[in-house]
Amino acid sequence: IYRILTQFETAGIVNRHRFIDGQAVFELNRGIHHDHLVCIHCGTVVEFVDELIETHQEIIAKQHGFTIKAHNLVIYGVCSQAICQQKM
């Protein structure tokens, strides 16, 4: 199955991510850019879109003479589940 997933990734059908444990996580490429919040305790992943963050990334890149071709933003933290909050 991983060989097929790699072929899907090459074809742009899925995106591969490596979060906390380094294990590959695949998600369907819906063509809409989004970023991720990842719980460091349970591994919950939340997808989000924030136009302000996107705008600031463009401004920062321009200030440094960069043209953004791709980017990934992953924010690691602790989710709201009680068991994860107790581990803080």
Side-chain angles (χ1 to χ4, degrees):
I1 189 155
Y2 285 106
R3 190 176 324 151
I4 291 170
L5 284 171
T6 300
Q7 291 172 350
F8 283 176
E9 179 185 20
T10 301
I13 298 168
V14 298
N15 295 321
R16 177 192 314 238
H17 300 283
R18 293 190 187 276
F19 296 125
I20 292 175
D21 59 6
Q23 199 169 27
V25 175
F26 292 88
E27 66 181 5
L28 188 61
N29 180 356
R30 293 184 178 95
I32 300 168
H33 173 75
H34 61 272
D35 297 304
H36 298 94
L37 295 165
V38 178
C39 180
I40 61 173
H41 294 304
C42 70
T44 293
V45 177
V46 176
E47 298 176 358
F48 71 94
V49 175
D50 186 298
E51 290 305 319
L52 189 58
I53 289 174
E54 298 303 313
T55 300
H56 280 280
Q57 290 175 137
E58 287 289 339
I59 291 168
I60 292 166
K62 193 174 286 188
Q63 287 172 345
H64 294 279
F66 278 73
T67 301
I68 297 175
K69 298 295 183 185
H71 78 278
N72 264 328
L73 174 63
V74 181
I75 300 172
Y76 295 96
V78 179
C79 74
S80 61
Q81 293 183 64
I83 192 157
C84 293
Q85 291 292 313
Q86 291 171 357
K87 293 180 180 179
M88 284 188 15

